[in-house]
């Protein structure tokens, strides 16, 4: 609709269509029109008061299609939709396009999104849930807009943390059976860290193991590394299933180590890198980016050198138009250094990479997990939240069988967690408060699921199949609902442009709030306008499901 308005006034105001579209506002109340064009900024150029400009425009322009009249109101030009026609067209479109409604086609770009990135032999913690939710949502948004997405994972499976794990397991836990259980795996690592901090001497033993892993000289250690690495990777299968994510490619640091070393040598030869106290560094002081260390003085390759090799590999293996790396904002500076280095080494297409940062997840009590020392483990967290959700669900309905209750509690928990993380700007640090995230009445995942289930039950109860409908005189809340529904595709585009799913999350909440107001104000099944209202409810259901789907949140037909 904004486009139609832009077309109708562009000649008179001498601006481009997109400039006009950006200026158009949605008035605070429908009585003031459905769209408003503010004339302030034209005043200087046209040498007229904004009030005069609005009056002139009103008399000069043609009424755009789908509108019933225009009104000049002070410095604004207000546009009133032909609301019945608008509602009819929109609802027809939603019911026809269903799960495609709101999508647009931006051209077949190939995008790699790297996200989640847990390390083997360590915890999959709450921060990983945030990164996984964000990455998955960005992937779904891109796909919705016609892009081809390659979901990539990248895990640290070498280095000191593995040496610590193996050292601790052999010394203190060798009687325990090896398990593909992330809680057990990370508990060994935590124990290692604790024991090492109590006795400095032990570090020598760990260093020795680290050397043996690096040069693969000890068969027993080598086997243990391979086996436990596999168990770690396997332990993530359940997590990704629960979170609704599947990767197309899983990279590992061990696979890019060798090439990382080679690249470092090439950079030394090209004088892009230099030696400093035995280490190899790239001096980025000139760009106020400090120093990036590629190789330790003992010759071991660092994270950075491996990342250079990884970037090269991503570009070689996939023809990419864009390549995103979703990871915590504590790596902001690091990625600036890395991208600068990629540019200096003239890596072709290095410009297509971007870092999509996100903030930390904390807990109100600053609570720490006993098992992992600092971070809360995925499995502990999900268990805790699910038990709480099960209680809340039981309060609402006592009759759910146990199996079903557990299933629903898990789905509600995942929705609550994902939503609480995605509703905020990704960059913001957040505090996860269980009882707030699981509140069925607030700006929460469960509230949205509940609204969806409510719409579903109205439709099911009505058992009404007629296809055609006629639009009656609309109640104000119905107009509001229709207009909100119509904004969906624009919201999706904005979320895409800003790598920010919170725009979709906030939209879903506003939409559900309007729907619930509508539900309280307007009877559906026992109304003369049953036909139309059912179509409206169904449209709401489709749009809410589409937006939750873009957030990676599965709806429940019943709650
Ligand atoms: N595994 C790394 C970590 O735990 C994150 C990897 C991020 N991606 C990358 N290409 N550096 O910090």
């Amino acid at each position: 609709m904004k486009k139609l308005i832009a077309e109708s006034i562009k000649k008179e105001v001498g601006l481009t269509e997109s400039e006009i579209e950006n200026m158009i506002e949605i008035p605070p109340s429908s009585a003031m029109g459905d769209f408003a064009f503010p004339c302030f900024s034209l005043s200087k150029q046209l040498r007229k008061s904004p009030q005069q400009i609005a009056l002139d425009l009103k008399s000069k322009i043609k009424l755009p299609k789908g509108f019933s009249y225009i009104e000049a109101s002070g410095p604004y030009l207000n546009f009133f939709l032909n609301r019945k026609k608008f509602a009819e067209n929109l609802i027809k479109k939603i019911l026809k396009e269903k799960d495609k409604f709101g999508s647009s086609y931006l051209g077949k770009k190939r995008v790699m999104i790297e996200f989640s990135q847990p390390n083997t032999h360590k915890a999959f913690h709450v921060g990983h849930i945030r990164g996984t939710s964000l990455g998955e949502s960005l992937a779904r948004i891109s796909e919705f807009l016609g892009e081809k997405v390659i979901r990539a994972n990248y895990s640290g499976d070498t280095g000191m943390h593995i040496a610590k794990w193996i050292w601790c397991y052999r010394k203190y836990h060798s009687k325990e059976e090896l398990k593909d259980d992330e809680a057990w795996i990370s508990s060994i690592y935590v124990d290692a860290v604790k024991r090492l901090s109590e006795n400095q001497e032990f570090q020598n033993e760990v260093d020795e193991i680290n050397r043996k892993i690096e040069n693969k000289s000890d068969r027993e250690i080598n086997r243990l590394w391979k086996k436990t690495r596999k168990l770690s990777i396997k332990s993530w299968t359940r997590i990704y299933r629960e979170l609704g994510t599947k990767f197309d490619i899983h990279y590992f640091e061990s696979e890019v180590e060798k090439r990382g070393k080679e690249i470092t040598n090439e950079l030394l030869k090209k004088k892009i890198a230099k030696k400093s106290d035995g280490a190899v560094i790239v001096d980025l002081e000139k760009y106020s980016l400090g120093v990036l260390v590629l190789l330790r003085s003992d010759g071991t390759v660092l994270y950075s050198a491996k990342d250079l090799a990884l970037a090269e590999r991503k570009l070689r293996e996939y023809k990419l138009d864009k390549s995103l790396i979703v990871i915590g904002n504590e790596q902001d500076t690091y990625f600036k250094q890395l991208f600068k280095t990629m540019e200096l080494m003239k890596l072709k297409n290095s410009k297509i990479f971007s870092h999509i940062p996100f903030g930390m997840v904390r807990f109100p009590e600053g609570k720490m997990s006993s098992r992992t020392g600092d971070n809360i483990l995925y499995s502990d967290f999900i268990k805790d939240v699910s038990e709480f959700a099960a209680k809340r669900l039981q309060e609402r309905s006592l009759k759910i069988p146990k199996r079903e209750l557990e299933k629903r509690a898990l789905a509600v928990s995942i929705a609550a967690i994902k939503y609480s993380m995605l509703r905020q700007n990704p960059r913001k640090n957040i505090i996860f408060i269980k009882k707030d995230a699981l509140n069925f009445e607030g700006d929460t995942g469960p509230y949205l699921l509940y609204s969806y289930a409510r719409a579903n039950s109205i439709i099911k109860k009505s058992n009404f199949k007629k296809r055609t409908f006629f639009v009656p005189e609309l109640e104000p809340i119905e107009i509001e609902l229709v207009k909100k529904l119509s904004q969906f595709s624009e919201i999706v585009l904005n979320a895409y442009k800003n790598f920010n799913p919170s725009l979709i999350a906030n939209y879903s909440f506003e939409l559900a709030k309007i729907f619930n107001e509508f539900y309280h104000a307007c009877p559906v099944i026992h109304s003369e306008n049953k036909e139309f209202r059912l179509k409206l409810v169904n449209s709401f259901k489709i749009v809410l499901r589409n937006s939750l789907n873009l957030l990676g949140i599965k709806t429940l037909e019943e709650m």
Side-chain angles (χ1 to χ4, degrees):
M1 293 324 252
K2 285 189 182 174
K3 195 166 166 21
L4 294 176
I5 296 178
E7 273 169 19
S8 76
I9 59 177
K10 74 173 172 208
K11 264 226 217 79
E12 303 299 331
V13 299
L15 294 170
T16 68
E17 276 180 32
S18 67
E19 280 168 337
I20 298 172
E21 282 183 45
N22 285 332
M23 286 168 72
I24 292 174
E25 298 171 9
I26 310 277
S29 108
S30 294
M32 296 155 80
D34 299 302
F35 299 95
F37 177 73
C39 302
F40 308 99
S41 61
L42 298 172
S43 182
K44 210 168 180 185
Q45 202 192 352
L46 301 177
R47 298 169 177 283
K48 279 191 279 193
S49 71
Q51 286 79 356
Q52 193 56 46
I53 297 172
L55 285 169
D56 290 354
L57 280 176
K58 175 179 155 47
S59 63
K60 277 192 200 143
I61 67 168
K62 245 182 48 206
L63 188 66
K65 214 177 142 231
F67 286 85
S68 46
Y69 63 101
I70 308 175
E71 180 188 84
S73 165
Y76 286 97
L77 190 61
N78 292 336
F79 292 78
F80 290 79
L81 284 169
N82 177 339
R83 289 173 177 166
K84 279 198 199 182
K85 196 73 206 153
F86 182 70
E88 184 184 326
N89 289 342
L90 180 76
I91 290 174
K92 276 189 186 154
K93 191 169 153 76
I94 296 173
L95 297 180
K96 185 165 147 241
E97 298 183 353
K98 298 198 183 66
D99 57 352
K100 303 270 175 337
F101 177 79
S103 65
S104 356
Y105 184 66
L106 299 183
K108 209 165 190 60
K109 291 214 186 95
R110 284 167 72 85
V111 192
M112 178 176 278
I113 307 184
E114 185 211 292
F115 63 101
S116 195
Q117 309 110 320
N119 298 319
T120 67
H121 302 79
K122 267 191 171 178
F124 191 109
H125 54 73
V126 169
H128 289 116
I129 305 181
R130 189 171 192 194
T132 307
S133 308
L134 177 59
E136 179 62 27
S137 178
L138 294 174
R140 290 179 185 212
I141 294 168
S142 282
E143 283 170 339
F144 199 54
L145 300 179
E147 298 190 332
K148 164 83 185 116
V149 176
I150 297 131
R151 290 169 175 74
N153 208 336
Y154 178 48
S155 298
D157 62 339
T158 63
M160 199 50 91
H161 79 276
I162 314 283
K164 287 180 188 167
W165 195 99
I166 289 182
W167 165 80
C168 185
Y169 175 75
R170 288 169 89 216
K171 197 166 171 128
Y172 302 103
H173 301 272
S174 60
K175 297 262 143 45
E176 291 169 41
E177 197 196 334
L178 295 168
K179 292 185 279 246
D180 61 354
D181 167 9
E182 45 117 19
W184 178 77
I185 294 171
S186 72
S187 73
I188 304 287
Y189 178 72
V190 173
D191 192 39
V193 173
K194 194 174 130 244
R195 289 179 191 271
L196 280 164
S197 72
E198 283 160 9
N199 187 341
Q200 310 289 320
E201 313 268 284
F202 288 157
Q203 189 56 41
N204 297 328
E205 298 174 26
V206 175
D207 286 344
E208 163 114 38
I209 291 184
N210 198 30
R211 271 194 297 279
K212 285 182 176 159
I213 301 176
E214 284 237 340
N215 55 35
K216 303 197 166 55
S217 56
D218 186 316
R219 278 190 48 205
E220 192 252 359
I221 288 182
N222 216 14
R223 262 217 311 271
L224 190 56
W225 172 67
K226 276 199 184 142
K227 197 161 173 193
T228 48
R229 174 185 180 278
K230 255 211 181 117
L231 292 174
S232 255
I233 297 166
K234 204 165 157 225
S235 75
W236 301 330
T237 318
R238 190 196 100 221
I239 299 179
Y240 289 135
R241 188 175 0 98
E242 288 179 355
L243 293 179
T245 288
K246 248 201 188 125
F247 292 94
D248 301 295
I249 172 91
H250 201 144
Y251 295 113
F252 292 92
E253 288 187 22
S254 62
E255 303 164 344
V256 283
E257 215 162 39
K258 188 160 151 267
R259 181 61 193 142
K261 221 174 222 172
E262 285 168 17
I263 293 180
T264 306
N265 284 328
E266 289 166 21
L267 291 183
L268 267 175
K269 269 197 212 119
K270 288 190 202 148
K271 304 231 155 32
I272 294 168
K274 64 177 186 195
K275 288 230 159 117
S276 162
D277 293 334
V280 180
I281 63 160
V282 183
D283 185 346
L284 299 167
E285 292 297 356
K286 250 205 288 189
Y287 313 98
S288 315
L289 288 173
V291 160
L292 183 67
V293 188
L294 299 175
L295 220 62
R296 276 203 205 90
S297 52
D298 65 2
T300 46
V301 219
L302 283 162
Y303 185 54
S304 50
K306 288 183 261 188
D307 248 326
L308 294 174
L310 178 67
E312 190 186 71
R313 191 166 153 196
K314 286 176 175 172
L315 292 169
R316 191 181 63 237
E317 289 176 354
Y318 295 91
K319 249 188 93 210
L320 300 173
D321 298 297
K322 267 190 296 180
S323 185
L324 313 180
I325 299 166
V326 180
I327 193 75
N329 54 15
E330 70 276 4
Q331 298 195 24
D332 275 354
T333 310
Y334 166 73
F335 273 103
K336 283 197 193 115
Q337 296 176 322
L338 186 75
F339 294 159
K340 192 54 160 182
T341 306
M342 278 158 56
E343 193 188 311
L344 294 176
M345 66 191 259
K346 301 212 169 59
L347 184 69
K348 231 175 105 202
N349 284 332
S350 67
K351 283 272 183 288
I352 69 168
F353 285 90
S354 3
H355 171 209
I356 310 296
F358 59 87
M360 290 224 306
V361 183
R362 293 213 203 82
F363 294 89
E365 320 83 46
K367 192 168 85 178
M368 294 217 270
S369 157
S370 51
R371 255 195 295 193
T372 57
D374 54 351
N375 284 307
I376 306 240
L377 273 185
Y378 176 87
S379 40
D380 291 343
F381 182 59
I382 294 289
K383 188 161 169 277
D384 183 41
V385 178
S386 284
E387 280 168 6
F388 187 79
K391 272 195 220 121
R392 301 300 317 271
L393 285 171
Q394 258 181 330
E395 281 161 24
R396 305 173 72 87
S397 144
L398 288 168
K399 295 186 294 276
I400 321 173
K402 190 159 177 276
R403 262 273 185 76
E404 178 64 22
L405 180 69
E406 275 169 16
K407 218 174 93 198
R408 272 190 221 174
L410 180 65
V412 169
S413 303
I414 302 275
I417 294 166
K418 282 194 169 194
Y419 186 80
S420 72
M421 293 180 176
L422 291 172
R423 66 183 262 268
Q424 304 275 9
N425 187 306
R427 274 198 155 274
K428 252 181 87 178
N429 291 338
I430 53 179
I431 297 181
F432 182 86
I433 302 172
K434 188 167 60 186
K435 77 172 196 329
D436 291 354
L438 278 152
N439 185 346
F440 283 61
E441 298 303 331
D443 182 5
T444 66
Y447 173 74
L448 297 175
L449 291 188
Y450 184 62
S451 309
Y452 179 84
R454 169 175 275 172
N456 189 49
S457 95
I458 299 172
I459 291 166
K460 248 173 78 192
K461 255 191 233 144
S462 77
N463 197 14
F464 190 70
K465 292 263 147 58
K466 208 165 130 198
R467 289 195 90 126
T468 53
F469 63 100
F470 140 91
V471 184
E473 252 348 286
L474 296 173
E475 299 290 333
I477 190 69
E478 290 177 308
I479 296 169
E480 250 193 86
L481 184 53
V482 167
K483 287 208 302 197
K484 202 71 201 175
L485 291 168
S486 77
Q487 288 162 18
F488 180 53
S489 64
E490 197 186 325
I491 299 284
V492 175
L493 282 171
N494 271 333
Y496 166 84
K497 282 185 205 139
N498 297 298
F499 303 107
N500 185 358
S502 78
L503 300 174
I504 297 176
N506 299 336
Y507 169 82
S508 317
F509 177 55
E510 286 160 21
L511 180 67
K513 252 193 330 200
I514 297 176
F515 170 73
N516 284 310
E517 262 175 65
F518 156 80
Y519 173 81
H520 291 296
C522 305
V524 177
I525 299 176
H526 304 288
S527 143
E528 297 175 357
N529 301 332
K530 170 175 168 183
E531 240 174 74
F532 168 74
R533 286 191 178 156
L534 275 170
K535 299 285 180 205
L536 186 56
V537 172
N538 206 5
S539 301
F540 161 76
K541 196 184 141 182
I542 291 172
V543 176
L544 182 63
R545 188 176 54 215
N546 289 2
S547 34
L548 289 177
N549 191 35
L550 292 180
L551 301 175
I553 295 175
K554 265 206 253 83
T555 50
L556 290 171
E557 295 300 301
E558 238 180 288
M559 235 169 106

